[in-house]
Amino acid sequence: MQLNKSDKLSNVRYELRGRISDQADALISQGVDVIRLNIGNPGAFGFATTPAVQESLTRHAAACVPYSSTKGLPQARAAIAQYHRNLGLPNVCEEDIYTGNGVSELIQITLQAMLNPGDEVLVPSPDYPLWTAATTLAGGTPVHYICDEAADWCPDIADMRAKITPRTRAIVIINPNNPTGAVYTKDVLLQIAQLAREHKLALLADEIYDRLLFDDAVHVPIASLAPDLFCVTFNGISKSHQVCGYRAGWMVISGEKSHAQDYMAGVNTLASLRLCSNVTGQYAIIAALDDLEGPNVNLRPGGRLYEQRELVHRELNNIPGLSAVKSAGALYMFPKIDTARFNITSDEQFVLDFLREKHVLLSHGAGFNWAAPDHFRLVFLPPVDQLAQVMTRLRDFLASYKQ
């Protein structure tokens, strides 16, 4: 008997670790030194976690750690609840917290528990593509609203409003944003909350980068602006404290919960199926939330992330045919390509050609559900000298590139 993949996977795409990444792996297996700028993985570029988190990981990794409860260690959930109460989230207690093996697992649990076939979810374009893939896998339909590059990549509220239908169940907000690095203003968030209020929609807030902010950017949790709305907020320490591999994330249910008891029972069922999340990672959460200042050294002038962002933004805008909005948060930039200048009709082909010729792996814009072939995402995690090499290679490549 031929064993085929399930039909439910037929429309699921996740290209950050797809065909282009496989091409990079093939080059590496041949001995080629490929600079991978496709995944936001700080540990791959020499970032170290804070001493407090490192001590916690070392101590608990050496112990015989039992399962935690399904939702997570009480002390971890207490720390998470306090963190979000300090940020102004309403009606939050330990019972509203679920730890997870990274935010990715919790996004999938949330959408599986929420959606029936044909239900719609408003998802930003560009998006972190797991949101689109997980919505599709759960039987729902992702409907992409536009984020406006001319408005520093903030959501287009009119476009959001136009795409709400009777089948819409929730609005996804990624803030600070991956892939654009945008940090949304309070006014924009209030308008999104009002849309959810008018149409009785849930808010799903991906805020994993809320502590990775540059310059004077201020992150406002949308749940803090909407105590009357049902909101699920996702966060974790993978990025802020550079421990991606420990898969230490969480979600917080806040706001008006009285009409969502059945949904929450579904979340409990799905969370129970995986027993619990990484317990060593949960202990690291406690240490990380007690050390929120430590990672900030990288975000200030003179710090690694700050200087790397500065270099990338400056050099991208000095390359003929490219432009980029400066990231206010997160680890990424989402530059625009002058497609007419380079005759580009496929952003995937552009990324592949650059990989094969210059041995640098980027992510194409279509992988983030951006419709036009005129953007790519770049991770600015490598040291400045390596990023300077990347910019030189990109300038040289584009000097003669025609698709």
Side-chain angles (χ1 to χ4, degrees):
M1 180 185 72
Q2 178 68 32
L3 188 61
N4 298 319
K5 70 180 179 182
S6 167
D7 290 343
K8 64 177 176 285
L9 291 171
S10 59
N11 294 317
V12 175
R13 296 188 309 121
Y14 184 78
E15 299 184 16
L16 296 190
R17 295 179 183 267
R19 188 169 76 93
I20 301 174
S21 184
D22 291 344
Q23 294 268 334
D25 291 341
L27 288 171
I28 291 169
S29 70
Q30 297 165 18
V32 177
D33 184 13
V34 173
I35 302 175
R36 303 189 70 117
L37 303 185
N38 65 319
I39 299 292
N41 185 10
F45 295 99
F47 283 89
T49 190
T50 62
V53 172
Q54 182 60 59
E55 189 279 331
S56 173
L57 291 170
T58 300
R59 175 157 46 92
H60 291 101
C64 182
V65 179
Y67 292 129
S68 72
S69 69
T70 291
K71 290 185 176 182
L73 294 167
Q75 57 268 51
R77 287 185 286 132
I80 293 164
Q82 186 60 55
Y83 173 72
H84 287 281
R85 283 196 295 267
N86 291 344
L87 295 175
L89 268 67
N91 307 328
V92 173
C93 65
E94 292 176 31
E95 286 305 303
D96 302 313
I97 311 295
Y98 296 77
T99 62
N101 295 301
V103 164
S104 298
E105 177 186 62
L106 295 169
I107 288 171
Q108 294 181 70
I109 286 174
T110 292
L111 293 170
Q112 291 284 351
M114 180 178 292
L115 300 179
N116 288 310
D119 286 348
E120 296 174 355
V121 178
L122 288 188
V123 179
S125 175
D127 71 339
Y128 176 56
L130 176 69
W131 279 105
T132 293
T135 298
T136 303
L137 186 61
T141 301
V143 177
H144 293 102
Y145 64 84
I146 297 300
C147 295
D148 184 1
E149 188 169 18
D152 293 330
W153 288 114
C154 279
D156 183 328
I157 303 298
D159 188 61
M160 295 178 78
R161 183 181 296 276
K163 289 174 175 172
I164 294 173
T165 76
R167 297 306 304 268
T168 308
R169 295 291 175 264
I171 301 174
V172 173
I173 307 100
I174 305 174
N175 176 41
N177 188 264
N178 174 9
T180 66
V183 178
Y184 299 160
T185 65
K186 182 177 180 180
D187 179 63
V188 165
L189 294 169
L190 284 169
Q191 292 182 67
I192 295 172
Q194 183 57 28
L195 280 181
R197 187 173 291 114
E198 291 172 12
H199 296 275
K200 296 180 172 57
L201 304 177
L203 292 170
L204 306 179
D206 184 343
E207 299 182 353
I208 187 74
Y209 298 100
D210 73 334
R211 295 176 298 283
L212 292 175
L213 303 171
F214 300 100
D215 306 322
D216 298 320
V218 176
H219 175 261
V220 179
I222 192 168
S224 70
L225 305 176
D228 58 318
L229 299 177
F230 182 80
C231 186
V232 186
T233 300
F234 302 85
N235 212 314
I237 63 171
S238 291
K239 310 296 185 177
S240 64
H241 288 75
Q242 296 94 40
V243 285
C244 293
Y246 276 90
R247 313 308 299 131
W250 63 81
M251 70 181 190
V252 183
I253 295 175
S254 67
E256 179 51 59
K257 308 163 195 168
S258 61
H259 63 289
Q261 296 304 306
D262 190 53
Y263 159 76
M264 292 164 66
V267 169
N268 287 335
T269 298
L270 292 171
S272 297
L273 292 178
R274 49 93 216 235
L275 297 183
C276 70
S277 66
N278 182 331
V279 178
T280 302
Q282 292 182 53
Y283 281 112
I285 289 171
I286 301 167
L289 293 182
D290 194 43
D291 180 25
L292 295 174
E293 182 59 28
N296 289 340
V297 65
N298 287 315
L299 305 169
R300 303 181 183 119
R304 267 197 66 177
L305 281 175
Y306 182 93
E307 298 302 331
Q308 289 160 197
R309 180 199 61 147
E310 292 293 293
L311 181 145
V312 166
H313 180 254
R314 180 178 65 249
E315 295 302 319
L316 284 172
N317 284 292
N318 283 333
I319 296 175
L322 295 184
S323 61
V325 176
K326 183 181 279 191
S327 305
L331 307 169
Y332 317 101
M333 227 164 280
F334 200 60
K336 184 173 185 177
I337 316 167
D338 184 342
T339 54
R341 181 188 185 102
F342 305 112
N343 196 38
I344 292 174
T345 58
S346 168
D347 53 355
E348 181 180 33
Q349 190 61 50
F350 161 73
V351 168
L352 277 169
D353 291 341
F354 185 49
L355 170 65
R356 289 163 179 160
E357 183 172 328
K358 295 297 186 180
H359 305 149
V360 178
L361 177 59
L362 306 172
S363 299
H364 62 304
F368 300 91
N369 294 290
W370 183 254
D374 59 356
H375 282 78
F376 62 92
R377 190 188 75 169
L378 180 149
V379 177
F380 51 80
L381 283 169
V384 290
D385 57 343
Q386 193 171 45
L387 285 171
Q389 292 178 34
V390 169
M391 294 297 105
T392 298
R393 293 184 198 184
L394 186 56
R395 178 187 293 275
D396 293 346
F397 175 76
L398 289 175
S400 58
Y401 183 68
K402 293 287 182 182
Q403 200 168 92

